[in-house]
Amino acid sequence: FLTAAAAALAAMTAQSSNRQRRHTNVDSDTESHTANALAAALSDYGGEAFAHVPYAEWASSLREECLAMYVALLHAIIRTSSSSLQRADAARCILASDPYDERATTALADALQDLGASGLAAAARERFRSSLE
């Protein structure tokens, strides 16, 4: 999972860098390949690493690294996806593990707004504000 995720994120970064350097759009094949790499890496995530040994100190750093990479992949999907549903799903996954992630909350509310669910978007923003109090 970690290897595939790092490669997918590197491909996305390279694609973004090429786009900025050339001041042009990256071809759709490259974007499709990057999106597929992100999705494939995300599908490799099997949940919390070593969940069967929750108190083992030797597993805690790997568990944290896997979760951080999972969240990074989800944020990458939010940045690159043109699908409001996909962005909303990714944001919900992030918020399930970190309800205080402001970028995910904003992405969820924006995606819901794009889908025409203004009330749900406002509720997501309000839940986040309330959670900070």
Side-chain angles (χ1 to χ4, degrees), residues 20-34:
Q20 290 174 351
R21 198 171 37 242
R22 294 182 190 159
H23 303 291
T24 60
N25 289 336
V26 174
D27 64 67
S28 62
D29 287 343
T30 302
E31 287 181 348
S32 177
H33 176 71
T34 301

Side-chain angles (χ1 to χ4, degrees), residues 32-108:
S32 177
H33 176 71
T34 301
N36 289 341
L38 290 169
L42 191 61
S43 72
D44 287 343
Y45 183 69
E48 184 178 337
F50 300 107
H52 61 287
V53 286
Y55 303 109
E57 278 191 41
W58 59 265
S60 64
S61 64
L62 182 59
R63 194 178 353 257
E64 291 170 8
E65 183 180 1
C66 288
L67 180 58
M69 188 64 83
Y70 173 67
V71 170
L73 282 173
L74 291 167
H75 275 295
I77 288 171
I78 290 169
R79 280 193 309 277
T80 60
S81 179
S82 60
S83 166
S84 297
L85 284 174
Q86 195 173 32
R87 290 191 317 272
D89 286 344
R92 284 186 181 114
C93 288
I94 293 168
L95 293 169
S97 64
D98 181 4
Y100 300 105
D101 189 311
E102 187 172 5
R103 288 186 305 155
T105 299
T106 300
L108 175 60

